[in-house]
Coordinates of all heavy atoms in Angstrom, one line a residue:
M1384 N 0.8 -1.2 0.0 CA 0.0 0.0 0.0 C 0.9 1.3 0.0 O 1.8 1.4 0.8 CB -0.9 0.0 1.3 CG -1.9 -1.0 1.4 SD -3.3 -0.2 0.7 CE -4.5 -1.5 0.8
T1385 N 0.6 2.1 -0.9 CA 1.3 3.4 -0.9 C 0.4 4.5 -0.4 O -0.9 4.5 -0.7 CB 1.7 3.7 -2.4 OG1 0.6 3.8 -3.2 CG2 2.7 2.7 -2.9
K1386 N 0.9 5.4 0.3 CA 0.2 6.5 0.8 C 0.0 7.6 -0.3 O 1.0 7.8 -1.1 CB 0.8 7.2 2.0 CG 0.8 6.3 3.2 CD 1.4 7.1 4.4 CE 1.3 6.2 5.7 NZ 1.8 7.0 6.8
K1387 N -1.1 8.2 -0.4 CA -1.3 9.3 -1.3 C -0.6 10.5 -0.7 O -0.9 10.9 0.4 CB -2.8 9.6 -1.5 CG -3.1 10.6 -2.5 CD -4.5 10.8 -2.7 CE -4.8 12.0 -3.7 NZ -6.2 12.3 -3.9
Q1388 N 0.2 11.2 -1.5 CA 0.9 12.3 -1.0 C 0.0 13.6 -1.1 O -0.5 13.9 -2.2 CB 2.2 12.5 -1.8 CG 3.1 13.5 -1.2 CD 4.4 13.6 -2.0 OE1 4.5 13.3 -3.2 NE2 5.5 13.9 -1.3
D1389 N 0.0 14.3 0.0 CA -0.9 15.5 0.0 C 0.1 16.7 -0.2 O 0.9 17.0 0.7 CB -1.6 15.6 1.3 CG -2.6 16.8 1.4 OD1 -2.8 17.4 0.4 OD2 -3.1 17.0 2.5
N1390 N -0.1 17.5 -1.2 CA 0.7 18.7 -1.5 C 0.1 20.0 -1.0 O 0.4 21.0 -1.5 CB 1.0 18.8 -3.0 CG 1.9 17.6 -3.5 OD1 2.7 17.1 -2.7 ND2 1.7 17.2 -4.7
Y1391 N -0.8 19.9 -0.1 CA -1.5 21.1 0.4 C -0.5 21.9 1.3 O 0.2 21.4 2.1 CB -2.7 20.7 1.3 CG -3.4 21.8 2.0 CD1 -4.1 22.7 1.2 CD2 -3.3 22.0 3.4 CE1 -4.8 23.8 1.8 CE2 -3.9 23.1 4.0 CZ -4.7 24.0 3.2 OH -5.3 25.0 3.8
S1392 N -0.5 23.2 0.9 CA 0.4 24.1 1.7 C -0.5 25.3 2.2 O -0.9 26.1 1.4 CB 1.5 24.7 0.8 OG 2.2 25.6 1.5
A1393 N -0.8 25.2 3.4 CA -1.7 26.2 4.0 C -1.2 27.6 4.0 O -1.9 28.6 3.9 CB -2.1 25.8 5.5
F1394 N 0.1 27.7 4.1 CA 0.8 29.0 4.3 C 1.5 29.5 3.0 O 2.4 30.3 3.1 CB 1.7 29.0 5.5 CG 0.9 28.6 6.7 CD1 1.2 27.4 7.3 CD2 0.0 29.5 7.3 CE1 0.5 27.0 8.5 CE2 -0.7 29.1 8.4 CZ -0.4 27.9 9.0
A1395 N 1.2 29.0 1.9 CA 1.8 29.4 0.6 C 1.5 30.8 0.4 O 0.4 31.3 0.6 CB 1.4 28.5 -0.5
E1396 N 2.4 31.6 -0.1 CA 2.3 33.0 -0.4 C 2.0 33.9 0.8 O 1.5 35.0 0.6 CB 1.2 33.2 -1.5 CG 1.4 32.4 -2.8 CD 0.3 32.6 -3.7 OE1 -0.5 33.5 -3.6 OE2 0.2 31.7 -4.6
V1397 N 2.3 33.4 2.0 CA 2.1 34.2 3.2 C 3.5 34.4 3.8 O 4.2 33.5 4.1 CB 1.2 33.5 4.2 CG1 1.0 34.3 5.5 CG2 -0.2 33.3 3.6
N1398 N 3.8 35.7 4.1 CA 5.0 36.0 4.7 C 4.9 35.9 6.2 O 4.4 36.7 6.9 CB 5.4 37.5 4.4 CG 6.8 37.9 4.9 OD1 7.5 37.1 5.6 ND2 7.2 39.1 4.7
L1399 N 5.4 34.8 6.8 CA 5.4 34.5 8.2 C 6.6 35.0 8.9 O 6.7 34.7 10.1 CB 5.2 33.0 8.4 CG 3.9 32.4 7.9 CD1 3.8 30.9 8.1 CD2 2.7 33.0 8.7
S1400 N 7.5 35.6 8.3 CA 8.7 36.1 8.9 C 8.4 37.2 9.9 O 7.5 38.1 9.6 CB 9.7 36.7 7.8 OG 10.8 37.3 8.4
N1401 N 9.2 37.3 11.0 CA 9.0 38.4 11.9 C 9.8 39.6 11.6 O 9.7 40.6 12.2 CB 9.4 37.9 13.3 CG 8.4 36.9 13.9 OD1 7.2 37.0 13.6 ND2 8.8 36.1 14.8
A1402 N 10.7 39.4 10.6 CA 11.5 40.5 10.1 C 10.7 41.5 9.2 O 9.9 41.1 8.4 CB 12.7 40.0 9.4
R1403 N 11.0 42.8 9.4 CA 10.3 43.8 8.6 C 11.1 43.9 7.2 O 12.3 44.0 7.2 CB 10.3 45.1 9.3 CG 9.6 46.2 8.6 CD 9.6 47.4 9.5 NE 9.3 48.6 8.7 CZ 9.6 49.8 9.1 NH1 10.1 50.1 10.3 NH2 9.3 50.8 8.3
S1404 N 10.3 43.9 6.1 CA 10.9 44.1 4.8 C 11.4 45.5 4.6 O 10.9 46.4 5.3 CB 9.9 43.7 3.7 OG 9.4 42.5 3.9
E1405 N 12.3 45.7 3.7 CA 12.9 47.0 3.5 C 11.8 48.0 2.9 O 11.8 49.2 3.3 CB 14.0 47.0 2.5 CG 15.3 46.4 3.0 CD 16.4 46.3 2.0 OE1 16.3 47.1 1.0 OE2 17.3 45.6 2.2
N1406 N 10.9 47.5 2.1 CA 9.9 48.3 1.5 C 8.5 48.3 2.2 O 7.5 48.7 1.6 CB 9.7 48.0 0.0 CG 9.3 46.5 -0.2 OD1 9.3 45.7 0.8 ND2 8.9 46.2 -1.4
E1407 N 8.5 47.8 3.4 CA 7.3 47.6 4.2 C 7.2 48.7 5.2 O 8.1 48.9 6.0 CB 7.3 46.2 4.9 CG 6.0 45.9 5.6 CD 6.1 44.5 6.1 OE1 7.2 44.0 6.5 OE2 5.0 43.8 6.2
S1408 N 6.1 49.4 5.2 CA 5.9 50.5 6.2 C 5.7 49.9 7.6 O 5.3 48.7 7.7 CB 4.7 51.4 5.9 OG 3.5 50.7 6.1
Y1409 N 5.9 50.6 8.7 CA 5.8 50.1 10.0 C 4.3 49.7 10.3 O 4.1 48.7 10.9 CB 6.2 51.2 11.0 CG 6.2 50.7 12.4 CD1 7.1 49.8 12.9 CD2 5.2 51.0 13.3 CE1 7.1 49.3 14.2 CE2 5.1 50.5 14.6 CZ 6.1 49.7 15.0 OH 6.1 49.2 16.3
E1410 N 3.4 50.4 9.8 CA 2.0 50.1 10.0 C 1.6 48.8 9.3 O 0.9 47.9 9.9 CB 1.0 51.2 9.4 CG 1.1 52.5 10.2 CD 2.3 53.4 9.9 OE1 2.9 53.2 8.8 OE2 2.7 54.2 10.7
D1411 N 2.1 48.6 8.1 CA 1.9 47.3 7.3 C 2.6 46.2 8.1 O 2.0 45.1 8.1 CB 2.4 47.4 5.9 CG 1.6 48.3 5.1 OD1 0.4 48.6 5.4 OD2 2.1 48.8 4.0
Y1412 N 3.7 46.4 8.6 CA 4.5 45.4 9.3 C 3.7 44.9 10.6 O 3.6 43.8 10.8 CB 5.9 46.0 9.7 CG 6.6 45.2 10.8 CD1 7.2 43.9 10.4 CD2 6.8 45.7 12.0 CE1 7.9 43.2 11.4 CE2 7.6 45.0 13.0 CZ 8.1 43.8 12.6 OH 8.8 43.1 13.6
R1413 N 3.2 45.9 11.3 CA 2.4 45.6 12.6 C 1.1 44.8 12.2 O 0.8 43.9 12.9 CB 2.1 46.8 13.4 CG 3.3 47.6 13.9 CD 4.1 46.7 14.9 NE 3.3 46.3 16.0 CZ 3.7 45.4 16.9 NH1 4.9 44.8 16.8 NH2 2.9 45.0 17.8
K1414 N 0.5 45.2 11.1 CA -0.7 44.6 10.6 C -0.4 43.1 10.2 O -1.2 42.2 10.6 CB -1.3 45.3 9.4 CG -2.5 44.7 8.9 CD -3.0 45.5 7.6 CE -4.2 44.8 7.0 NZ -4.5 45.4 5.7
R1415 N 0.7 42.9 9.5 CA 1.1 41.6 9.1 C 1.4 40.7 10.3 O 1.0 39.5 10.3 CB 2.3 41.7 8.1 CG 2.7 40.3 7.6 CD 3.8 40.4 6.6 NE 5.0 41.1 7.1 CZ 5.9 40.6 7.8 NH1 5.9 39.3 8.2 NH2 7.0 41.3 8.2
L1416 N 2.1 41.2 11.3 CA 2.4 40.4 12.5 C 1.1 40.0 13.2 O 1.0 38.8 13.6 CB 3.3 41.2 13.4 CG 4.8 41.4 13.0 CD1 5.5 42.2 14.1 CD2 5.4 40.1 12.8
K1417 N 0.2 40.9 13.3 CA -1.1 40.5 14.0 C -1.8 39.5 13.2 O -2.4 38.5 13.7 CB -1.9 41.8 14.2 CG -3.2 41.5 15.0 CD -4.1 42.7 15.1 CE -5.4 42.4 15.9 NZ -6.0 41.1 15.8
Q1418 N -1.8 39.7 11.9 CA -2.5 38.8 11.0 C -1.9 37.4 11.1 O -2.6 36.4 11.2 CB -2.4 39.3 9.6 CG -3.3 38.7 8.6 CD -3.2 39.4 7.3 OE1 -2.1 39.6 6.7 NE2 -4.4 39.8 6.7
N1419 N -0.6 37.3 11.1 CA 0.2 36.0 11.2 C -0.2 35.4 12.6 O -0.4 34.2 12.6 CB 1.7 36.2 11.1 CG 2.1 36.6 9.7 OD1 1.3 36.5 8.8 ND2 3.3 37.0 9.6
K1420 N -0.2 36.1 13.6 CA -0.5 35.6 14.9 C -1.9 35.0 15.0 O -2.1 33.9 15.5 CB -0.4 36.7 16.0 CG -0.7 36.3 17.4 CD -0.6 37.4 18.4 CE -1.1 37.0 19.7 NZ -1.2 38.2 20.6
D1421 N -2.9 35.7 14.4 CA -4.2 35.2 14.3 C -4.4 33.9 13.5 O -5.1 33.0 13.8 CB -5.2 36.3 13.8 CG -5.3 37.4 14.8 OD1 -5.0 37.3 16.0 OD2 -5.7 38.5 14.3
I1422 N -3.7 33.9 12.3 CA -3.7 32.8 11.5 C -3.1 31.5 12.1 O -3.7 30.4 12.1 CB -2.9 33.1 10.1 CG1 -3.7 34.1 9.3 CG2 -2.7 31.8 9.3 CD1 -2.9 34.6 8.1
L1423 N -1.9 31.7 12.8 CA -1.3 30.6 13.4 C -2.1 30.1 14.6 O -2.1 28.9 14.9 CB 0.1 30.9 13.8 CG 1.1 31.2 12.7 CD1 2.4 31.7 13.1 CD2 1.3 29.9 11.9
K1424 N -2.7 31.0 15.3 CA -3.6 30.6 16.5 C -4.8 29.8 16.0 O -5.1 28.7 16.6 CB -4.1 31.9 17.2 CG -4.9 31.6 18.4 CD -5.3 32.9 19.1 CE -6.2 32.6 20.3 NZ -6.6 33.8 21.0
L1425 N -5.4 30.2 14.9 CA -6.5 29.5 14.4 C -6.1 28.1 13.9 O -6.7 27.1 14.2 CB -7.2 30.2 13.2 CG -8.3 29.5 12.5 CD1 -9.5 29.4 13.4 CD2 -8.7 30.3 11.2
Y1426 N -4.9 28.0 13.3 CA -4.4 26.7 12.8 C -4.1 25.8 13.9 O -4.4 24.6 13.8 CB -3.1 27.0 12.0 CG -2.5 25.8 11.3 CD1 -3.0 25.3 10.1 CD2 -1.5 25.1 11.9 CE1 -2.5 24.2 9.5 CE2 -0.9 23.9 11.3 CZ -1.4 23.5 10.1 OH -0.9 22.4 9.5
S1427 N -3.6 26.3 15.0 CA -3.3 25.4 16.1 C -4.5 25.0 16.9 O -4.5 23.9 17.5 CB -2.3 26.1 17.1 OG -2.9 27.2 17.7
I1428 N -5.6 25.8 16.8 CA -6.8 25.4 17.5 C -7.6 24.4 16.7 O -8.0 23.4 17.3 CB -7.7 26.7 17.7 CG1 -7.1 27.6 18.8 CG2 -9.1 26.3 18.2 CD1 -7.8 28.9 18.9
V1429 N -7.8 24.6 15.4 CA -8.7 23.7 14.6 C -7.9 22.5 14.0 O -8.6 21.5 13.7 CB -9.4 24.5 13.5 CG1 -10.3 25.6 14.1 CG2 -8.5 25.1 12.5
G1430 N -6.6 22.6 13.8 CA -5.9 21.5 13.2 C -5.8 21.6 11.7 O -6.5 22.4 11.1
R1431 N -4.9 20.8 11.2 CA -4.7 20.9 9.7 C -5.9 20.5 8.9 O -6.1 21.1 7.9 CB -3.5 19.9 9.4 CG -3.0 20.0 8.0 CD -1.8 19.1 7.7 NE -1.2 19.4 6.4 CZ -1.5 18.9 5.3 NH1 -2.5 18.0 5.2 NH2 -0.9 19.2 4.2
D1432 N -6.6 19.4 9.2 CA -7.7 19.0 8.4 C -8.8 20.0 8.3 O -9.3 20.3 7.2 CB -8.2 17.6 8.9 CG -7.1 16.5 8.8 OD1 -6.3 16.6 7.9 OD2 -7.2 15.6 9.6
V1433 N -9.2 20.5 9.4 CA -10.3 21.5 9.4 C -9.8 22.8 8.7 O -10.5 23.4 8.0 CB -10.7 21.9 10.9 CG1 -11.8 23.0 10.9 CG2 -11.3 20.6 11.5
F1434 N -8.5 23.2 8.9 CA -8.0 24.4 8.3 C -8.0 24.2 6.8 O -8.3 25.1 6.0 CB -6.5 24.6 8.8 CG -6.0 26.0 8.6 CD1 -6.4 27.0 9.5 CD2 -5.2 26.3 7.6 CE1 -5.9 28.3 9.4 CE2 -4.7 27.6 7.4 CZ -5.1 28.6 8.3
K1435 N -7.7 23.0 6.3 CA -7.7 22.7 4.9 C -9.1 22.8 4.3 O -9.3 23.3 3.2 CB -7.2 21.3 4.7 CG -7.0 20.9 3.2 CD -6.4 19.5 3.0 CE -6.3 19.2 1.6 NZ -5.7 17.9 1.4
E1436 N -10.1 22.4 5.1 CA -11.5 22.6 4.7 C -11.9 24.0 4.6 O -12.6 24.5 3.7 CB -12.5 21.8 5.6 CG -12.4 20.3 5.5 CD -13.3 19.6 6.5 OE1 -14.2 20.3 7.1 OE2 -13.0 18.5 6.8
M1437 N -11.4 24.8 5.6 CA -11.7 26.2 5.7 C -11.1 27.0 4.5 O -11.7 27.9 3.9 CB -11.3 26.8 7.0 CG -12.1 26.3 8.2 SD -11.4 26.8 9.7 CE -11.7 28.5 9.8
F1438 N -9.8 26.7 4.2 CA -9.0 27.4 3.2 C -8.4 26.3 2.3 O -7.2 26.0 2.3 CB -7.9 28.2 3.9 CG -8.3 29.1 4.9 CD1 -8.1 28.8 6.3 CD2 -8.9 30.3 4.6 CE1 -8.5 29.7 7.3 CE2 -9.3 31.2 5.6 CZ -9.1 30.9 6.9
P1439 N -9.2 25.8 1.3 CA -8.8 24.8 0.4 C -7.6 25.2 -0.5 O -6.8 24.4 -0.9 CB -10.0 24.4 -0.4 CG -11.0 25.5 -0.2 CD -10.6 26.2 1.1
E1440 N -7.6 26.5 -0.8 CA -6.5 27.0 -1.7 C -5.4 27.6 -0.8 O -4.4 28.2 -1.4 CB -7.1 28.1 -2.6 CG -8.1 27.6 -3.5 CD -7.6 26.6 -4.5 OE1 -6.5 26.7 -5.0 OE2 -8.3 25.6 -4.8
G1441 N -5.5 27.6 0.5 CA -4.5 28.2 1.3 C -4.9 29.5 1.8 O -5.8 30.2 1.3
V1442 N -4.2 30.0 2.8 CA -4.5 31.3 3.4 C -4.2 32.4 2.5 O -4.9 33.5 2.4 CB -3.8 31.5 4.8 CG1 -4.1 32.8 5.4 CG2 -4.1 30.4 5.7
G1443 N -3.2 32.3 1.7 CA -2.8 33.4 0.8 C -3.9 33.7 -0.2 O -4.1 34.9 -0.4
E1444 N -4.5 32.8 -0.7 CA -5.7 33.0 -1.7 C -6.8 33.7 -0.9 O -7.5 34.6 -1.5 CB -6.1 31.7 -2.3 CG -5.2 31.2 -3.3 CD -5.0 32.1 -4.5 OE1 -5.9 32.7 -5.0 OE2 -3.8 32.2 -4.9
A1445 N -7.1 33.3 0.3 CA -8.2 33.9 1.1 C -7.9 35.4 1.4 O -8.7 36.2 1.3 CB -8.4 33.1 2.4
L1446 N -6.6 35.7 1.7 CA -6.2 37.0 2.0 C -6.3 37.9 0.7 O -6.7 39.1 0.8 CB -4.8 37.1 2.5 CG -4.6 36.5 3.9 CD1 -3.2 36.4 4.3 CD2 -5.5 37.2 5.0
K1447 N -5.9 37.3 -0.4 CA -6.1 38.1 -1.7 C -7.5 38.4 -2.0 O -7.8 39.5 -2.4 CB -5.5 37.3 -2.8 CG -4.0 37.2 -2.9 CD -3.5 36.4 -4.0 CE -2.0 36.2 -4.0 NZ -1.6 35.3 -5.1
T1448 N -8.4 37.5 -1.7 CA -9.8 37.7 -2.0 C -10.4 38.8 -1.1 O -11.1 39.6 -1.5 CB -10.6 36.4 -1.8 OG1 -10.1 35.4 -2.6 CG2 -12.1 36.5 -2.0
I1449 N -10.0 38.7 0.2 CA -10.4 39.7 1.2 C -9.9 41.1 0.7 O -10.7 42.1 0.8 CB -9.9 39.4 2.6 CG1 -10.7 38.2 3.1 CG2 -10.1 40.5 3.5 CD1 -10.1 37.6 4.4
D1450 N -8.7 41.2 0.3 CA -8.1 42.5 -0.1 C -8.8 43.0 -1.3 O -9.1 44.2 -1.4 CB -6.6 42.4 -0.4 CG -5.8 42.2 0.9 OD1 -6.3 42.6 2.0 OD2 -4.6 41.8 0.8
A1451 N -9.1 42.2 -2.3 CA -9.8 42.6 -3.5 C -11.2 43.1 -3.1 O -11.7 44.1 -3.7 CB -9.9 41.4 -4.5
E1452 N -11.9 42.4 -2.2 CA -13.3 42.8 -1.8 C -13.2 44.2 -1.1 O -14.1 45.0 -1.3 CB -13.9 41.8 -1.0 CG -14.3 40.5 -1.8 CD -14.9 39.4 -0.9 OE1 -15.1 39.7 0.4 OE2 -15.2 38.4 -1.4
A1453 N -12.2 44.4 -0.3 CA -12.0 45.6 0.5 C -11.8 46.8 -0.5 O -12.3 47.9 -0.3 CB -10.9 45.5 1.5
E1454 N -11.0 46.6 -1.5 CA -10.7 47.6 -2.5 C -11.9 47.9 -3.3 O -12.2 49.1 -3.5 CB -9.6 47.2 -3.4 CG -8.2 47.1 -2.8 CD -7.1 46.7 -3.7 OE1 -7.4 46.6 -4.9 OE2 -6.0 46.4 -3.2
K1455 N -12.7 46.9 -3.6 CA -14.0 47.2 -4.3 C -14.9 48.0 -3.5 O -15.6 48.9 -4.0 CB -14.6 45.8 -4.7 CG -15.8 46.0 -5.5 CD -16.4 44.6 -5.9 CE -17.7 44.7 -6.6 NZ -18.3 43.4 -6.9
T1456 N -15.0 47.6 -2.2 CA -15.9 48.4 -1.3 C -15.5 49.8 -1.1 O -16.3 50.7 -1.2 CB -16.0 47.7 0.1 OG1 -16.4 46.3 -0.1 CG2 -16.9 48.4 1.0
N1457 N -14.2 50.0 -1.0 CA -13.7 51.4 -0.8 C -13.9 52.2 -2.1 O -14.2 53.4 -2.0 CB -12.1 51.3 -0.5 CG -11.9 50.9 0.9 OD1 -12.7 50.9 1.7 ND2 -10.7 50.4 1.1
A1458 N -13.8 51.6 -3.3 CA -14.0 52.3 -4.5 C -15.5 52.7 -4.6 O -15.8 53.8 -5.1 CB -13.6 51.4 -5.7
E1459 N -16.4 51.8 -4.2 CA -17.8 52.1 -4.2 C -18.1 53.3 -3.3 O -18.9 54.2 -3.6 CB -18.6 50.9 -3.9 CG -18.6 49.8 -5.0 CD -19.3 48.5 -4.5 OE1 -19.7 48.4 -3.4 OE2 -19.4 47.6 -5.4
K1460 N -17.5 53.3 -2.1 CA -17.8 54.3 -1.1 C -17.2 55.6 -1.7 O -17.9 56.7 -1.5 CB -17.1 54.0 0.2 CG -17.9 52.9 0.9 CD -17.2 52.6 2.3 CE -18.0 51.6 3.0 NZ -17.4 51.2 4.3
L1461 N -16.1 55.6 -2.3 CA -15.5 56.9 -2.9 C -16.4 57.4 -4.0 O -16.5 58.6 -4.1 CB -14.1 56.6 -3.3 CG -13.0 56.4 -2.3 CD1 -11.7 56.1 -2.9 CD2 -12.9 57.7 -1.4
G1462 N -16.9 56.5 -4.8 CA -17.8 56.9 -5.8 C -19.1 57.5 -5.3 O -19.6 58.5 -5.9
E1463 N -19.6 57.1 -4.2 CA -20.8 57.7 -3.6 C -20.5 59.0 -3.0 O -21.4 59.9 -2.9 CB -21.4 56.7 -2.5 CG -21.9 55.4 -3.1 CD -22.3 54.5 -2.0 OE1 -22.2 54.8 -0.8 OE2 -22.7 53.3 -2.3
A1464 N -19.3 59.2 -2.5 CA -18.9 60.5 -1.8 C -18.8 61.6 -2.8 O -18.9 62.8 -2.4 CB -17.6 60.3 -1.1
K1465 N -18.5 61.3 -4.1 CA -18.3 62.4 -5.1 C -19.6 63.1 -5.4 O -20.6 63.2 -5.3 CB -17.8 61.8 -6.4 CG -16.3 61.4 -6.2 CD -15.8 61.0 -7.5 CE -14.4 60.6 -7.4 NZ -13.8 60.1 -8.7

């Protein structure tokens, strides 16, 4: 019997480093650290299998989707304000 290899990477495309990048503002750095802390806490609470069900494409894809929706919402609000 051979085991089926699972290539799921929950943290692909997510910068989990505690070091601040050269081109990263302090505010973005603090936001990323808090986000990483929350992500790792959730992962440790629910486990790999549940986390995989919650984020089948990984956390990076979910964060991209959230950012895109936030930008769309902000653009709509700016359009209303004009």
Side-chain angles (χ1 to χ4, degrees):
M1384 292 265 179
T1385 59
K1386 290 186 177 181
K1387 183 179 177 186
Q1388 192 174 30
D1389 186 11
N1390 292 330
Y1391 176 69
S1392 178
F1394 304 109
E1396 302 177 20
V1397 177
N1398 183 2
L1399 294 175
S1400 172
N1401 287 335
R1403 182 175 162 199
S1404 302
E1405 289 182 19
N1406 60 350
E1407 186 176 31
S1408 70
Y1409 184 73
E1410 292 80 21
D1411 291 341
Y1412 167 70
R1413 297 300 301 169
K1414 179 183 173 187
R1415 182 176 55 81
L1416 287 182
K1417 182 181 181 329
Q1418 193 174 54
N1419 289 348
K1420 179 182 172 186
D1421 293 341
I1422 290 169
L1423 292 173
K1424 183 178 178 181
L1425 178 64
Y1426 185 83
S1427 67
I1428 290 172
V1429 299
R1431 185 177 194 272
D1432 295 331
V1433 175
F1434 201 79
K1435 185 176 179 180
E1436 289 177 19
M1437 293 169 68
F1438 305 105
E1440 299 295 320
V1442 179
E1444 289 296 320
L1446 293 175
K1447 286 180 186 177
T1448 304
I1449 290 170
D1450 288 341
E1452 289 176 4
E1454 288 179 13
K1455 182 180 175 184
T1456 303
N1457 287 340
E1459 289 174 356
K1460 287 182 180 178
L1461 289 175
E1463 293 174 4
K1465 288 184 179 180

